[in-house]
Amino acid sequence: MVSAASSSKLSEHNISSQPHAWSLLANIAALPLSFAIISLISFCTLLYNKKTALNQSSSERSSNAVPFIVFQEPDWTLLHKSAEQYRTHNLRLLQTLSQGLDILLFNKELTNLDNITGRLQNRIDRLSEIFDQDQDLLQTQVFVPFETTYVLPDGEPANSTNTFSSRTADHSYDDPHQVVAHIVRDWTAEGKQIRRQLYDWCLSKIDKSGLRIMVPGAGMGRLAWELARNKHAWVEALESSVGMAAAAASILQRKQSGMIHPYSSDQLSNEVNSSQRYLRVQYPDVDDLSTKQGHLSYTVADFLSLNGVVNNQSKFDVVVTCFFLDTASNVLEYITMITKLLRPKGGMWVNVGPLQWHQKSQIRFSADELYNIIEEVGFQIMEWGVDVAPIEYRSSDKVVRSTHYDAYCPLRFVAVLK
Ligand SMILES: C[S@@+](CC[C@H](N)C(=O)[O-])C[C@H]1O[C@@H](n2cnc3c(N)ncnc32)[C@H](O)[C@@H]1O
Ligand SMILES: *[C@@H]1O[C@H](CO)[C@@H](O)[C@H](O)[C@H]1NC(C)=O
Ligand SMILES: *[C@@H]1O[C@H](CO)[C@@H](O)[C@H](O)[C@H]1NC(C)=O
Ligand SMILES: *[C@@H]1O[C@H](CO)[C@@H](O)[C@H](O)[C@H]1NC(C)=O
Ligand SMILES: *[C@@H]1O[C@H](CO)[C@@H](O)[C@H](O)[C@H]1NC(C)=O
């Protein structure tokens, strides 16, 4: 499926030479969901092209599906790589367990050896069954090319990479375990508590009157989707990982649901209760995925590539960064982009997330240093604080799942451009 999509890859030159392409602007304008895009990139000439990598015909698709915007053809091979990575990881895990079993079988001293090996064999059997199920789901439903809406800048469509700088790509969020963890965080009952503490807080800071909101590093899109449930909101989710976008598209665009075993390929360390590894979760946890009220679109691009795209008419009232700032190579570039995106005098930046600087980060400010920088670039800080209680990342429930604890005390702030 993935290779079929890759083989139908269109070069940008081909797209721009299609005689009908430019005249489709009017059609886009007729789609309410595209308004947010048009205003985001209002100075661009829009080029619209539907890629049908799916089996469904367009009449089968829900009319209120979230459009996925791209500036250039996504590298679909990444999806195949993610699925393969999942398979390889799980094979390795099964191998580790099998090696343990081999060692046990040579042990002549234990009297109840059959019971011990039986338990281990049972674990191997159950896990391999689960891995097959999840692998199948990921390959057929999650890591598959999605329908894209192309938006290219006016003037030089053949060289759009000049406008949208192609920096060295970071694929760490295409990791299948990241993607699965984010499905749990955003779209399952297991993630509800975390979303209450993070997303609901963001929602509570934002005025409900007609607002244009940008959510960079949107991940699985739940926060953006929640924001777009306000009928006055125009929300643009932005995400650079094709793997994340593909999974978000399976939920927000194709409205697919599924059952997954998110803990099955966790490390074989710190386990408290071996049965918890087999836990199966259902996604999404909402029946009706349509935002109905507000407008939501999801752009697949690097945040810093928006440089050539924003202009004075396409500013945002609010930028919401949730667990995003610390993904920067140079956080000052992110901060500069946020000030460019925001409407001057009153544009609001809402942030929640830790300062667990990404491996590639060149500058690693502390919270107090950031405070000064944010003021210096022209914001008035309305609210500032670091949580006392840690918040888990993937899911939180009452059971102790691990003898190791991993959680964050996010920095939360609200700042307004002066
Ligand atoms: C820690 S995750 C958080 C995702 C989501 N905001 C959440 O809270 O669940 C960071 C996300 O930012 C994305 N990201 C990192 N650098 C980015 C960039 N330069 N432009 C757009 N997205 C980026 C990653 O792909 C990842 O999905
Ligand atoms: C082995 O398992 C059987 C049944 O599961 C049980 O009856 C037996 O007591 C166990 N043996 C030991 C030594 O634990
Ligand atoms: C596009 O970029 C290439 C390489 O940078 C350059 O050789 C070519 O002239 C450019 N084309 C246009 C239309 O600008
Ligand atoms: C281990 O987890 C399973 C599944 O959640 C549960 O049914 C079982 O009671 C747990 N065992 C212990 C000893 O807590
Ligand atoms: C955009 O706004 C800035 C600041 O208000 C102004 O200096 C600049 O000329 C404007 N640019 C355009 C193209 O209107």
Side-chain angles (χ1 to χ4, degrees), residues 273 275-276 279:
N273 174 347
S275 305
Q276 284 169 0
L279 196 86

Side-chain angles (χ1 to χ4, degrees), residues 63-318:
S63 59
N64 55 24
V66 173
F68 277 61
I69 315 302
V70 294
F71 299 138
Q72 57 197 24
E73 177 91 1
D75 181 359
W76 299 119
T77 63
L78 290 171
L79 299 177
H80 179 68
K81 283 186 195 142
S82 293
E84 272 307 299
Q85 206 181 334
Y86 198 69
R87 207 173 63 84
T88 315
H89 174 100
N90 290 340
L91 270 179
R92 218 178 293 133
L93 195 146
L94 288 175
Q95 268 165 10
T96 306
L97 289 171
S98 301
Q99 281 160 7
L101 190 58
D102 287 347
I103 290 165
L104 283 180
L105 289 171
F106 278 103
N107 191 313
K108 304 277 178 257
E109 286 168 25
L110 289 170
T111 50
N112 53 347
L113 193 61
D114 284 355
N115 287 30
I116 296 173
T117 55
R119 244 180 259 130
L120 201 47
Q121 185 62 56
N122 178 42
R123 204 174 191 194
I124 293 169
D125 295 344
R126 280 189 77 175
L127 276 179
S128 61
E129 195 179 315
I130 283 174
F131 289 156
D132 282 348
Q133 288 170 17
D134 285 4
Q135 184 72 36
D136 189 53
L137 178 85
L138 291 179
Q139 251 162 3
T140 59
Q141 180 166 312
V142 177
F143 292 128
V144 296
F146 43 91
E147 187 179 306
T148 53
T149 302
Y150 285 89
V151 175
L152 295 177
D154 197 7
E156 44 169 333
N159 268 354
S160 64
T161 45
N162 291 350
T163 315
F164 306 110
S165 68
S166 48
R167 303 175 323 124
T168 34
D170 165 19
H171 297 307
S172 58
Y173 285 100
D174 291 320
D175 181 307
H177 299 101
Q178 282 281 357
V179 171
V180 170
H182 281 82
I183 292 176
V184 178
R185 175 174 164 97
D186 272 19
W187 296 107
T188 70
E190 281 71 16
K192 190 171 183 178
Q193 184 59 23
I194 293 169
R195 297 195 299 271
R196 276 220 178 105
Q197 297 175 86
L198 302 174
Y199 302 175
D200 288 3
W201 179 81
C202 295
L203 287 159
S204 77
K205 299 296 157 194
I206 298 169
D207 175 17
K208 299 290 177 286
S209 60
L211 289 175
R212 292 171 39 75
I213 306 170
M214 152 76 66
V215 185
M220 222 43 69
R222 179 66 179 254
L223 173 59
W225 180 82
E226 296 278 356
L227 287 162
R229 290 168 87 187
N230 164 16
K231 70 174 174 200
H232 301 294
W234 302 81
V235 184
E236 189 68 47
L238 185 113
E239 171 59 54
S240 57
S241 155
V242 177
M244 287 281 179
S250 86
I251 297 169
L252 290 168
Q253 185 182 72
R254 300 194 299 275
K255 313 271 170 81
Q256 290 172 318
S257 58
M259 294 277 208
I260 196 142
H261 306 82
Y263 313 106
S264 59
S265 34
D266 281 1
Q267 288 192 342
L268 292 166
S269 287
N270 287 309
E271 285 182 272
V272 174
N273 174 347
S274 59
S275 305
Q276 284 169 0
R277 186 174 284 274
Y278 314 124
L279 196 86
R280 194 168 72 148
V281 304
Q282 153 85 38
Y283 72 85
D285 64 327
V286 288
D287 295 331
D288 184 5
L289 276 166
S290 62
T291 53
K292 280 205 183 88
Q293 308 282 336
H295 301 286
L296 174 62
S297 53
Y298 187 116
T299 298
V300 189
D302 190 298
F303 187 49
L304 298 176
S305 74
L306 296 178
N307 250 325
V309 181
V310 277
N311 71 346
N312 287 355
Q313 281 73 52
S314 57
K315 301 265 183 185
F316 289 84
D317 300 297
V318 186

